[in-house]
Amino acid sequence: MTDRVGFIGLGNMGAPMADRLVGRAGGLTVCDMRPEIVAKYTEAGADSADTAAAVAERSDVISIAVVDDAQVRAVVDGPDGILRAAKPGTVVAVHSTIADTTAQELAKLCAGHEVEFVDAPVSGGAQGAKRGGLAVMVGGTEAAFRRIEAPFAAFADLIVHAGPVGAGTRMKLARNLLHFVAFTAATEASRLAEASGLDITALGKVVRHSDAITGGAGAIMLRESTAPIADGDFWQSIFGHVRDLGEKDLSLALGLGERLDVALPLAALALTGLGDGLGVGPGTIARAQD
């Protein structure tokens, strides 16, 4: 038996996700405050509902893609919220990035109604949703995870069970920490390139091209622990090599920045912290900075 899906919130992320569910066996019920958005789905064969409670009456799995914690709380436990009408066994999945503590609080409320709650933030943006290529990080029980795998496969090609409720959100926050620190590093690199007389849009093309091949920063996220690597471990020589190359190139970039009077604070932090972060300790160049 195929679960019927409800989808609440048809904004920039929710709409392309819901698009992928239209026509799916089991059916789809959508809800959004904007009638003109909802009309697109009803014309394509989906049902619509005016409230989250009405969605719950018709759904076995409910996806929520609204703006923030307050909206998620209202959708789940407000006067017209899901818990006013959800059947026992319903799975409620929140794709919005909320606080992990909010997820845990809502899970307790849901449990009181025999409803499963999962935090299921996504990564990959609207473009990923449109092609069914999102990554979903799920926090919840094993039983709830099994229930959402089939419908989520419509818009995601990677669905990770991160752990209990709250773990999906914590994984998303760690992932986005990397994302936005990398953006900040990109602005630093752009300033250095610009001061060097280079075309920074051309540099951007090179970055996107090489990251598509190497995997970017994710290429080093291969170990099961961030603890120091023991001598003789398989990763010792590999990450030692990465550290030595990184320290050399960072040192050269810092030298160029000094000549051009461009401050590179992230590069300086990276030089001193790369080896320890990789678990192999600082190399010759970093030790010489002390």
Side-chain angles (χ1 to χ4, degrees):
M1 182 175 173
T2 302
D3 285 325
R4 183 174 182 85
V5 176
F7 208 103
I8 301 172
L10 302 170
N12 291 337
M13 277 303 299
M17 293 168 70
D19 288 347
R20 302 282 303 186
L21 293 163
V22 173
R24 180 180 172 275
L28 173 68
T29 300
V30 298
C31 179
D32 192 274
M33 295 176 64
R34 298 160 297 172
E36 68 278 10
I37 299 297
V38 171
K40 166 188 169 182
Y41 294 89
T42 56
E43 290 167 4
D47 290 337
S48 67
D50 293 332
T51 66
V55 172
E57 288 175 351
R58 309 175 203 176
S59 305
D60 305 301
V61 173
I62 305 171
S63 283
I64 301 171
V66 293
V67 175
D68 55 23
D69 293 51
Q71 288 190 6
V72 171
R73 289 181 186 277
V75 166
V76 174
D77 196 38
D80 293 314
I82 289 168
L83 293 181
R84 304 288 80 80
K87 305 178 293 292
T90 300
V91 179
V92 175
V94 174
H95 302 299
S96 315
T97 302
I98 58 175
D100 59 333
T101 52
T102 299
Q104 291 169 327
E105 291 168 15
L106 291 174
K108 290 179 181 178
L109 286 174
C110 287
H113 294 260
E114 299 181 71
V115 169
E116 290 263 25
F117 179 96
V118 300
D119 53 313
V122 300
S123 184
Q127 290 303 314
K130 287 177 182 177
R131 63 178 179 83
L134 290 177
V136 186
M137 297 149 277
V138 179
T141 67
E142 182 65 35
F145 179 73
R146 288 197 299 269
R147 287 278 302 283
I148 56 85
E149 280 189 288
F152 286 12
F155 50 73
D157 58 8
L158 178 63
I159 306 170
V160 175
H161 190 191
V165 172
T169 298
R170 291 189 285 271
M171 184 174 283
K172 174 64 182 292
L173 294 177
R175 192 270 170 272
N176 276 12
L177 180 148
L178 173 60
H179 189 64
F180 291 111
V181 170
F183 275 16
T184 308
T187 67
E188 188 165 292
S190 295
R191 291 197 303 273
L192 180 64
E194 188 172 53
S196 300
L198 302 175
D199 180 344
I200 60 176
T201 60
L203 172 62
K205 290 178 182 179
V206 171
V207 171
R208 291 190 295 275
H209 181 276
S210 55
D211 280 359
I213 298 169
T214 67
I220 69 158
M221 301 175 78
L222 303 168
R223 295 189 294 140
E224 295 180 355
S225 168
T226 60
I229 299 174
D231 290 340
D233 187 282
F234 170 79
W235 293 110
Q236 179 73 35
S237 62
I238 295 173
F239 280 2
H241 179 63
V242 171
R243 174 205 61 202
D244 292 344
L245 284 178
E247 289 186 1
K248 175 181 67 69
D249 289 356
L250 286 165
S251 179
L252 291 170
L254 284 163
L256 177 59
E258 186 173 354
R259 294 200 309 275
L260 296 173
D261 196 27
V262 177
L264 302 173
L266 284 178
L269 282 171
L271 175 59
T272 58
L274 179 62
D276 285 335
L278 290 170
V280 293
T284 303
I285 295 175
R287 287 196 298 270
Q289 304 299 309
D290 296 336

